[in-house]
Amino acid sequence: MNPITVLILLILALGVLFVYRRLPAAQRGAFRLRALIALALFGLAFLALTHRLYLLGALFALLVPFLRHLLPWLIRSLPFLARWYQRRQQRRGPSGGQRSKVAADIVAMELDHDTGAMTGQVLSGPFAGRDLADLQQQEFIELLQYCRQTDTDSARLLESYLDKRFGDSWRADDPNGHSDDHTPPSDNGSLSDAEAYDILGLEPGADRDAIVQAHRRLMQKLHPDHGGSAYLAARINAARAHLLASK
């Protein structure tokens, strides 16, 4: 392989790594899968162009003795693996299309438990009545400035949406810098039962086990250590604490 080819491959690898590091944690799994598929296709194309496809046949021939011993073990293990996967799914519990709802004075958000997709709407102020998905990036910045001047919780909530949708790229257009996401929500101690159930995506009257499971499922997606939002994590923790206190 000549030095120019090596240099091109190195630049491509660095570019992929740069894009990967800027992605939100929730999008990295899909990106890794796409990158692996692209790498496999690139490898096949490279072998074809350099007339080295015979190497695949040689590799397969080397693996045949191992496959002959591995295949019976895999067949015997399938029932065990199926039961293990089923138990794992039962422990995690299906979300059943549950959606969490978090509202502040200016904006409201919904999070789909299955996909992790976040949607939202402007409730008041500039762009009132519009879906967040329809706003342009500069309109987001204008709305964010208004939220920071009017309602801190709305600003935290909107920043969480922007991080989920754009990663860190929107911060380059933010003239004042983002606010301190570690500041707790201002109404943490005044959640109503209805608000707490909405945040966890549960029906009123859900039992203790359902509350704990919904909390765990959401924290797996939204905990700051997993690339989530400290503000939303605080709201989820507050909702869990509020509901369990009455059980």
Side-chain angles (χ1 to χ4, degrees), residues 100-122:
S100 292
K101 300 177 183 178
V102 183
D105 289 345
I106 302 171
V107 292
M109 306 290 177
E110 287 193 10
L111 176 74
D112 187 284
H113 288 207
D114 291 325
T115 65
M118 188 180 289
T119 58
Q121 188 176 35
V122 185

PDB file of all heavy atoms in Angstrom, residues 100-122:
ATOM      1  N   SER A 100     -42.761  10.485  28.005  1.00  0.00           N
ATOM      2  CA  SER A 100     -42.618  11.406  29.123  1.00  0.00           C
ATOM      3  C   SER A 100     -42.917  12.825  28.661  1.00  0.00           C
ATOM      4  O   SER A 100     -42.551  13.210  27.547  1.00  0.00           O
ATOM      5  CB  SER A 100     -41.190  11.346  29.689  1.00  0.00           C
ATOM      6  OG  SER A 100     -40.952  10.105  30.296  1.00  0.00           O
ATOM      7  N   LYS A 101     -43.565  13.597  29.529  1.00  0.00           N
ATOM      8  CA  LYS A 101     -43.909  14.981  29.210  1.00  0.00           C
ATOM      9  C   LYS A 101     -43.346  15.889  30.299  1.00  0.00           C
ATOM     10  O   LYS A 101     -43.603  15.686  31.485  1.00  0.00           O
ATOM     11  CB  LYS A 101     -45.425  15.152  29.121  1.00  0.00           C
ATOM     12  CG  LYS A 101     -46.081  14.272  28.060  1.00  0.00           C
ATOM     13  CD  LYS A 101     -47.594  14.416  28.064  1.00  0.00           C
ATOM     14  CE  LYS A 101     -48.257  13.487  27.054  1.00  0.00           C
ATOM     15  NZ  LYS A 101     -49.737  13.599  27.094  1.00  0.00           N
ATOM     16  N   VAL A 102     -42.556  16.863  29.875  1.00  0.00           N
ATOM     17  CA  VAL A 102     -41.984  17.843  30.799  1.00  0.00           C
ATOM     18  C   VAL A 102     -42.342  19.225  30.274  1.00  0.00           C
ATOM     19  O   VAL A 102     -42.014  19.558  29.131  1.00  0.00           O
ATOM     20  CB  VAL A 102     -40.454  17.699  30.916  1.00  0.00           C
ATOM     21  CG1 VAL A 102     -39.908  18.684  31.951  1.00  0.00           C
ATOM     22  CG2 VAL A 102     -40.073  16.271  31.277  1.00  0.00           C
ATOM     23  N   ALA A 103     -43.004  20.028  31.086  1.00  0.00           N
ATOM     24  CA  ALA A 103     -43.457  21.343  30.646  1.00  0.00           C
ATOM     25  C   ALA A 103     -42.929  22.427  31.573  1.00  0.00           C
ATOM     26  O   ALA A 103     -42.837  22.245  32.785  1.00  0.00           O
ATOM     27  CB  ALA A 103     -44.980  21.394  30.587  1.00  0.00           C
ATOM     28  N   ALA A 104     -42.566  23.549  30.977  1.00  0.00           N
ATOM     29  CA  ALA A 104     -42.242  24.764  31.724  1.00  0.00           C
ATOM     30  C   ALA A 104     -43.186  25.855  31.229  1.00  0.00           C
ATOM     31  O   ALA A 104     -44.144  25.579  30.516  1.00  0.00           O
ATOM     32  CB  ALA A 104     -40.774  25.140  31.518  1.00  0.00           C
ATOM     33  N   ASP A 105     -42.929  27.095  31.597  1.00  0.00           N
ATOM     34  CA  ASP A 105     -43.869  28.155  31.234  1.00  0.00           C
ATOM     35  C   ASP A 105     -43.885  28.439  29.734  1.00  0.00           C
ATOM     36  O   ASP A 105     -44.932  28.793  29.178  1.00  0.00           O
ATOM     37  CB  ASP A 105     -43.508  29.451  31.979  1.00  0.00           C
ATOM     38  CG  ASP A 105     -43.808  29.356  33.467  1.00  0.00           C
ATOM     39  OD1 ASP A 105     -44.542  28.427  33.859  1.00  0.00           O
ATOM     40  OD2 ASP A 105     -43.290  30.187  34.237  1.00  0.00           O
ATOM     41  N   ILE A 106     -42.743  28.287  29.069  1.00  0.00           N
ATOM     42  CA  ILE A 106     -42.641  28.713  27.680  1.00  0.00           C
ATOM     43  C   ILE A 106     -42.598  27.545  26.706  1.00  0.00           C
ATOM     44  O   ILE A 106     -43.134  27.627  25.603  1.00  0.00           O
ATOM     45  CB  ILE A 106     -41.395  29.611  27.493  1.00  0.00           C
ATOM     46  CG1 ILE A 106     -41.497  30.830  28.423  1.00  0.00           C
ATOM     47  CG2 ILE A 106     -41.249  30.070  26.042  1.00  0.00           C
ATOM     48  CD1 ILE A 106     -40.246  31.669  28.477  1.00  0.00           C
ATOM     49  N   VAL A 107     -41.958  26.444  27.098  1.00  0.00           N
ATOM     50  CA  VAL A 107     -41.835  25.295  26.203  1.00  0.00           C
ATOM     51  C   VAL A 107     -42.258  24.015  26.922  1.00  0.00           C
ATOM     52  O   VAL A 107     -42.222  23.936  28.154  1.00  0.00           O
ATOM     53  CB  VAL A 107     -40.392  25.134  25.667  1.00  0.00           C
ATOM     54  CG1 VAL A 107     -40.025  26.271  24.739  1.00  0.00           C
ATOM     55  CG2 VAL A 107     -39.399  25.022  26.808  1.00  0.00           C
ATOM     56  N   ALA A 108     -42.657  23.031  26.125  1.00  0.00           N
ATOM     57  CA  ALA A 108     -43.003  21.703  26.650  1.00  0.00           C
ATOM     58  C   ALA A 108     -42.351  20.656  25.758  1.00  0.00           C
ATOM     59  O   ALA A 108     -42.241  20.841  24.544  1.00  0.00           O
ATOM     60  CB  ALA A 108     -44.518  21.513  26.671  1.00  0.00           C
ATOM     61  N   MET A 109     -41.893  19.561  26.374  1.00  0.00           N
ATOM     62  CA  MET A 109     -41.205  18.498  25.643  1.00  0.00           C
ATOM     63  C   MET A 109     -41.894  17.163  25.881  1.00  0.00           C
ATOM     64  O   MET A 109     -42.510  16.932  26.921  1.00  0.00           O
ATOM     65  CB  MET A 109     -39.750  18.372  26.116  1.00  0.00           C
ATOM     66  CG  MET A 109     -38.948  19.638  26.060  1.00  0.00           C
ATOM     67  SD  MET A 109     -38.585  20.144  24.373  1.00  0.00           S
ATOM     68  CE  MET A 109     -37.739  21.694  24.713  1.00  0.00           C
ATOM     69  N   GLU A 110     -41.731  16.263  24.902  1.00  0.00           N
ATOM     70  CA  GLU A 110     -42.142  14.877  25.043  1.00  0.00           C
ATOM     71  C   GLU A 110     -40.988  13.988  24.615  1.00  0.00           C
ATOM     72  O   GLU A 110     -40.319  14.270  23.617  1.00  0.00           O
ATOM     73  CB  GLU A 110     -43.386  14.562  24.196  1.00  0.00           C
ATOM     74  CG  GLU A 110     -44.664  15.159  24.740  1.00  0.00           C
ATOM     75  CD  GLU A 110     -45.913  14.574  24.070  1.00  0.00           C
ATOM     76  OE1 GLU A 110     -45.752  13.576  23.321  1.00  0.00           O
ATOM     77  OE2 GLU A 110     -46.999  15.106  24.294  1.00  0.00           O
ATOM     78  N   LEU A 111     -40.760  12.908  25.373  1.00  0.00           N
ATOM     79  CA  LEU A 111     -39.700  11.956  25.068  1.00  0.00           C
ATOM     80  C   LEU A 111     -40.309  10.582  24.880  1.00  0.00           C
ATOM     81  O   LEU A 111     -41.014  10.076  25.761  1.00  0.00           O
ATOM     82  CB  LEU A 111     -38.670  11.913  26.202  1.00  0.00           C
ATOM     83  CG  LEU A 111     -37.565  10.868  26.033  1.00  0.00           C
ATOM     84  CD1 LEU A 111     -36.566  11.315  24.967  1.00  0.00           C
ATOM     85  CD2 LEU A 111     -36.842  10.622  27.359  1.00  0.00           C
ATOM     86  N   ASP A 112     -40.052   9.964  23.731  1.00  0.00           N
ATOM     87  CA  ASP A 112     -40.519   8.605  23.469  1.00  0.00           C
ATOM     88  C   ASP A 112     -39.570   7.620  24.152  1.00  0.00           C
ATOM     89  O   ASP A 112     -38.368   7.632  23.888  1.00  0.00           O
ATOM     90  CB  ASP A 112     -40.557   8.351  21.960  1.00  0.00           C
ATOM     91  CG  ASP A 112     -41.195   7.013  21.626  1.00  0.00           C
ATOM     92  OD1 ASP A 112     -40.523   5.983  21.804  1.00  0.00           O
ATOM     93  OD2 ASP A 112     -42.354   6.995  21.191  1.00  0.00           O
ATOM     94  N   HIS A 113     -40.107   6.755  25.024  1.00  0.00           N
ATOM     95  CA  HIS A 113     -39.262   5.844  25.783  1.00  0.00           C
ATOM     96  C   HIS A 113     -38.585   4.811  24.890  1.00  0.00           C
ATOM     97  O   HIS A 113     -37.482   4.360  25.196  1.00  0.00           O
ATOM     98  CB  HIS A 113     -40.093   5.122  26.846  1.00  0.00           C
ATOM     99  CG  HIS A 113     -40.511   5.993  27.975  1.00  0.00           C
ATOM    100  ND1 HIS A 113     -40.765   5.521  29.243  1.00  0.00           N
ATOM    101  CD2 HIS A 113     -40.730   7.335  28.047  1.00  0.00           C
ATOM    102  CE1 HIS A 113     -41.120   6.522  30.041  1.00  0.00           C
ATOM    103  NE2 HIS A 113     -41.114   7.630  29.322  1.00  0.00           N
ATOM    104  N   ASP A 114     -39.231   4.405  23.812  1.00  0.00           N
ATOM    105  CA  ASP A 114     -38.673   3.363  22.957  1.00  0.00           C
ATOM    106  C   ASP A 114     -37.541   3.887  22.090  1.00  0.00           C
ATOM    107  O   ASP A 114     -36.473   3.277  22.005  1.00  0.00           O
ATOM    108  CB  ASP A 114     -39.757   2.761  22.055  1.00  0.00           C
ATOM    109  CG  ASP A 114     -40.774   1.955  22.851  1.00  0.00           C
ATOM    110  OD1 ASP A 114     -40.371   1.311  23.836  1.00  0.00           O
ATOM    111  OD2 ASP A 114     -41.960   1.980  22.501  1.00  0.00           O
ATOM    112  N   THR A 115     -37.761   4.998  21.419  1.00  0.00           N
ATOM    113  CA  THR A 115     -36.793   5.500  20.444  1.00  0.00           C
ATOM    114  C   THR A 115     -35.845   6.540  21.020  1.00  0.00           C
ATOM    115  O   THR A 115     -34.791   6.791  20.446  1.00  0.00           O
ATOM    116  CB  THR A 115     -37.519   6.117  19.242  1.00  0.00           C
ATOM    117  OG1 THR A 115     -38.254   7.286  19.669  1.00  0.00           O
ATOM    118  CG2 THR A 115     -38.493   5.125  18.620  1.00  0.00           C
ATOM    119  N   GLY A 116     -36.228   7.179  22.143  1.00  0.00           N
ATOM    120  CA  GLY A 116     -35.417   8.264  22.675  1.00  0.00           C
ATOM    121  C   GLY A 116     -35.630   9.574  21.930  1.00  0.00           C
ATOM    122  O   GLY A 116     -34.967  10.569  22.214  1.00  0.00           O
ATOM    123  N   ALA A 117     -36.572   9.595  20.958  1.00  0.00           N
ATOM    124  CA  ALA A 117     -36.836  10.818  20.194  1.00  0.00           C
ATOM    125  C   ALA A 117     -37.523  11.855  21.075  1.00  0.00           C
ATOM    126  O   ALA A 117     -38.409  11.530  21.859  1.00  0.00           O
ATOM    127  CB  ALA A 117     -37.702  10.509  18.983  1.00  0.00           C
ATOM    128  N   MET A 118     -37.102  13.099  20.921  1.00  0.00           N
ATOM    129  CA  MET A 118     -37.653  14.192  21.717  1.00  0.00           C
ATOM    130  C   MET A 118     -38.361  15.178  20.794  1.00  0.00           C
ATOM    131  O   MET A 118     -37.811  15.584  19.769  1.00  0.00           O
ATOM    132  CB  MET A 118     -36.537  14.883  22.494  1.00  0.00           C
ATOM    133  CG  MET A 118     -37.021  15.909  23.507  1.00  0.00           C
ATOM    134  SD  MET A 118     -35.634  16.684  24.406  1.00  0.00           S
ATOM    135  CE  MET A 118     -35.080  15.325  25.430  1.00  0.00           C
ATOM    136  N   THR A 119     -39.588  15.528  21.140  1.00  0.00           N
ATOM    137  CA  THR A 119     -40.345  16.527  20.399  1.00  0.00           C
ATOM    138  C   THR A 119     -40.768  17.623  21.365  1.00  0.00           C
ATOM    139  O   THR A 119     -40.707  17.456  22.581  1.00  0.00           O
ATOM    140  CB  THR A 119     -41.588  15.910  19.737  1.00  0.00           C
ATOM    141  OG1 THR A 119     -42.413  15.303  20.757  1.00  0.00           O
ATOM    142  CG2 THR A 119     -41.195  14.848  18.724  1.00  0.00           C
ATOM    143  N   GLY A 120     -41.222  18.750  20.819  1.00  0.00           N
ATOM    144  CA  GLY A 120     -41.598  19.841  21.706  1.00  0.00           C
ATOM    145  C   GLY A 120     -42.418  20.901  21.017  1.00  0.00           C
ATOM    146  O   GLY A 120     -42.559  20.914  19.790  1.00  0.00           O
ATOM    147  N   GLN A 121     -42.969  21.798  21.831  1.00  0.00           N
ATOM    148  CA  GLN A 121     -43.818  22.879  21.324  1.00  0.00           C
ATOM    149  C   GLN A 121     -43.584  24.129  22.148  1.00  0.00           C
ATOM    150  O   GLN A 121     -43.296  24.059  23.344  1.00  0.00           O
ATOM    151  CB  GLN A 121     -45.288  22.465  21.387  1.00  0.00           C
ATOM    152  CG  GLN A 121     -46.233  23.455  20.710  1.00  0.00           C
ATOM    153  CD  GLN A 121     -47.668  22.953  20.717  1.00  0.00           C
ATOM    154  OE1 GLN A 121     -48.091  22.312  21.673  1.00  0.00           O
ATOM    155  NE2 GLN A 121     -48.425  23.214  19.658  1.00  0.00           N
ATOM    156  N   VAL A 122     -43.704  25.271  21.481  1.00  0.00           N
ATOM    157  CA  VAL A 122     -43.598  26.564  22.164  1.00  0.00           C
ATOM    158  C   VAL A 122     -44.983  26.933  22.682  1.00  0.00           C
ATOM    159  O   VAL A 122     -45.948  27.008  21.924  1.00  0.00           O
ATOM    160  CB  VAL A 122     -43.082  27.646  21.213  1.00  0.00           C
ATOM    161  CG1 VAL A 122     -42.870  28.961  21.983  1.00  0.00           C
ATOM    162  CG2 VAL A 122     -41.780  27.210  20.551  1.00  0.00           C
TER     163      VAL A 122
END
